Amino acid sequence: MTTQLAALFVADDSLPWEQVAEGVKRKIMTYDANLMMVKVAFETGGIGAAHSHRHTQMSYVASGAFSIMIGDETRVVRGGDVYYIPPNVWHGAVCEEAGVLVDMFTPMREDFV
């Protein structure tokens, strides 16, 4: 996998996709020890399995529609929407309409590199 440690400029087409689950692939766009940006593309029906982590996460819905579960609440989000996941909160995603999420993590996700 190609990663961009603290790259000032990143050309999207210069990075390969990494298959992470059936119907789900990602690109680590850039990061340093404090912050990481990850682009995640989903096919309709793709699942981001429920999990939790110590990182604060904010995600921008670049396109598509997703059922997002955060804690005990589930909502459908669409292109242009944003959601926030506090540290250590159980969360997951189901893609309702093919699309892309842009995830930001602080600190960076060591397990991704």
Side-chain angles (χ1 to χ4, degrees):
M1 169 178 49
T2 302
T3 57
Q4 298 292 319
L5 176 58
L8 297 177
F9 298 95
V10 178
D12 182 49
D13 62 1
S14 73
L15 300 174
W17 287 102
E18 173 191 8
Q19 195 74 36
V20 293
E22 183 70 31
V24 183
K25 58 187 179 180
R26 74 176 170 217
K27 290 183 183 188
I28 298 173
M29 302 305 290
T30 192
Y31 67 93
D32 66 15
N34 299 308
L35 185 64
M36 176 180 270
M37 176 185 283
V38 179
K39 186 175 179 179
V40 189
F42 287 77
E43 296 174 10
T44 300
I47 296 173
H51 65 285
S52 67
H53 46 73
R54 68 182 184 90
H55 311 84
T56 297
Q57 177 178 341
M58 291 185 182
S59 297
Y60 171 72
V61 183
S63 61
F66 299 83
S67 289
I68 302 294
M69 179 268 296
I70 304 171
D72 295 332
E73 189 169 353
T74 300
R75 291 196 185 176
V76 173
V77 295
R78 301 182 183 285
D81 294 343
V82 173
Y83 56 92
Y84 164 76
I85 303 167
N88 304 308
V89 172
W90 201 248
H91 59 282
V94 176
C95 183
E96 305 293 338
E97 177 185 311
V100 174
L101 300 176
V102 178
D103 297 336
M104 303 292 290
F105 301 98
T106 184
M108 62 88 75
R109 294 284 304 264
E110 301 89 352
D111 56 318
F112 283 10
V113 298

